[in-house]
Amino acid sequence: MAFCIITDSASDVPGSVIKEYGLHVIPTPVTVEGTDYFDGETIFPEEFYVIQAEGKDIKTYHISQFMFEEHFRPFAERGDEVLYICFSTGIAGTFQAANLALEEVKEEFPDFQMTIVDSKCASIGFGLVVERLLTMQKNGAPKEMIIEAAHFFCEHMEHSFTVQELDYLFKGGRLSRTSFLAGSVLDIKPIIIVDENGSLKAVEKVRGHKKALKRIIDMVGEKGKNLERQVIGVCYGTDRESIDHLKTQLKERYHVKDVLETQVGCAIGAHTGPSILAAVYLNETKEEYERYL
């Protein structure tokens, strides 16, 4: 019996991590002009952003109970124990669907052990949690500590992000019409966090992309704890130049231990657009976990 850590594609875990650990990632469904695809399985960021730029109709919907059952059942059949780090309930209905699926699978396999953690995080916010847990497991951390650390990391993960184009947030209902129109005319960029409920929240507005990027970097220093001992997560859509600048500043200003970089996939990118830039980091750390990191 194995103890398996899994996640879903809204975590935007880098492909290198997926390959290194053989990580099981449950794909988020995406429809393009009425045709179904699966994020990270049958459609990937490079082609997705080309499709998005062409103005095609794109929709996402959360992973269904039936889909979860199909992914959970093989673990139950093998007698594995599973820790699933799930997309935030404040943004999607993934957590509820996963729990309903677990109940169904346990009807057939009553001894199946699975812990589902509502990350209350988005994108690399919980992708970083997953990578940290996999690292702990590789370095010999006991199962109970890994599950405890999963809750700790999720509870203490900070997100700071911005976008250049406001259209996508507006269309998705995450930006008011007034803010959209004013922002577009005055070049106002929102600074957005994921709050304690796991929901997106615009907390500041700055003028211009450069100032928005600087504000994100500043926030890491203001909220982050023991940054020199942390791996910081960063993500982007298509703006390679800005993400390189963000990484350089994090290393030079805060001497962070390392940076985990990823490109935002369809599950998130469909709602933020290609210009998303984000940094995620812990506002608290624990020495007992750092021993395995």
Side-chain angles (χ1 to χ4, degrees):
M1 183 183 79
F3 175 60
C4 304
I5 300 166
I6 70 173
T7 191
D8 57 72
S9 70
S11 63
D12 293 323
V13 175
S16 58
V17 174
I18 294 172
K19 183 178 180 180
E20 178 181 354
Y21 293 98
L23 176 66
H24 186 88
V25 181
I26 304 171
T28 299
V30 182
T31 63
V32 180
E33 298 289 341
T35 300
D36 286 336
Y37 297 89
F38 291 95
D39 183 27
E41 189 172 279
T42 58
I43 188 169
F44 299 89
E46 294 80 4
E47 60 184 309
F48 169 75
Y49 287 115
V50 172
I51 291 169
Q52 190 177 59
E54 292 171 347
K56 293 183 178 179
D57 181 52
I58 300 171
K59 292 184 174 65
T60 64
Y61 52 98
H62 71 72
I63 303 161
S64 71
Q65 178 182 334
F66 172 76
M67 293 174 188
F68 274 122
E69 289 178 30
E70 292 296 296
H71 283 271
F72 293 168
R73 188 167 284 107
F75 292 99
E77 290 173 345
R78 291 192 297 267
D80 294 337
E81 183 174 350
V82 175
L83 171 61
Y84 169 37
I85 311 300
C86 176
F87 191 20
S88 174
T89 51
I91 302 174
T94 312
F95 180 72
Q96 182 179 8
N99 277 281
L100 290 172
L102 176 57
E103 290 178 12
E104 286 296 315
V105 173
K106 284 179 74 70
E107 287 289 324
E108 188 177 353
F109 300 94
D111 295 329
F112 180 43
Q113 297 296 310
M114 185 175 197
T115 302
I116 302 175
V117 176
D118 174 11
S119 69
K120 296 189 178 178
C121 297
S123 187
I124 195 61
F126 69 112
L128 179 59
V129 171
V130 171
E131 188 275 339
R132 298 285 76 195
L133 298 176
L134 290 168
T135 300
M136 289 179 67
Q137 185 179 42
K138 179 182 71 173
N139 292 333
K143 177 186 67 179
E144 293 76 13
M145 177 181 285
I146 292 171
I147 294 173
E148 178 187 285
H151 290 283
F152 179 86
F153 292 152
C154 290
E155 289 169 5
H156 292 281
M157 190 64 69
E158 297 281 354
H159 303 63
S160 302
F161 77 92
T162 190
V163 297
Q164 291 195 58
E165 304 99 339
L166 305 180
D167 312 56
Y168 301 95
L169 292 175
F170 173 61
K171 290 175 183 176
R174 303 189 188 281
L175 194 68
S176 70
R177 183 173 182 80
T178 301
S179 294
F180 168 64
L181 292 174
S184 299
V185 172
L186 301 174
D187 195 28
I188 300 297
K189 309 303 180 189
I191 304 298
I192 302 170
I193 64 167
V194 178
D195 66 17
E196 64 276 7
N197 299 314
S199 300
L200 301 182
K201 182 179 180 181
V203 291
E204 297 180 30
K205 298 175 183 178
V206 297
R207 180 166 289 182
H209 174 64
K210 288 185 178 180
K211 288 183 179 178
L213 183 53
K214 181 181 182 301
R215 186 65 193 118
I216 288 174
I217 296 165
D218 289 344
M219 289 174 74
V220 175
E222 293 167 5
K223 295 184 176 184
K225 185 73 173 293
N226 299 321
L227 292 172
E228 70 283 356
R229 301 205 300 269
Q230 280 201 50
V231 173
I232 307 299
V234 298
C235 63
Y236 72 107
T238 59
D239 189 350
R240 181 75 256 176
E241 182 180 350
S242 291
I243 200 68
D244 286 343
H245 176 73
L246 175 58
K247 289 166 57 181
T248 298
Q249 287 296 304
L250 291 174
K251 292 175 181 178
E252 290 183 355
R253 287 183 57 177
Y254 306 124
H255 308 289
V256 299
K257 182 178 180 180
D258 203 356
V259 177
L260 182 69
E261 176 194 318
T262 194
Q263 188 172 22
V264 173
C266 317
I268 303 295
H271 304 284
T272 62
S275 64
I276 180 172
L277 288 165
V280 301
Y281 45 96
L282 293 171
N283 60 27
E284 191 57 79
T285 60
K286 272 193 176 182
E287 287 187 15
E288 61 185 293
Y289 303 150
E290 291 176 357
R291 289 174 49 207
Y292 298 96
L293 294 170

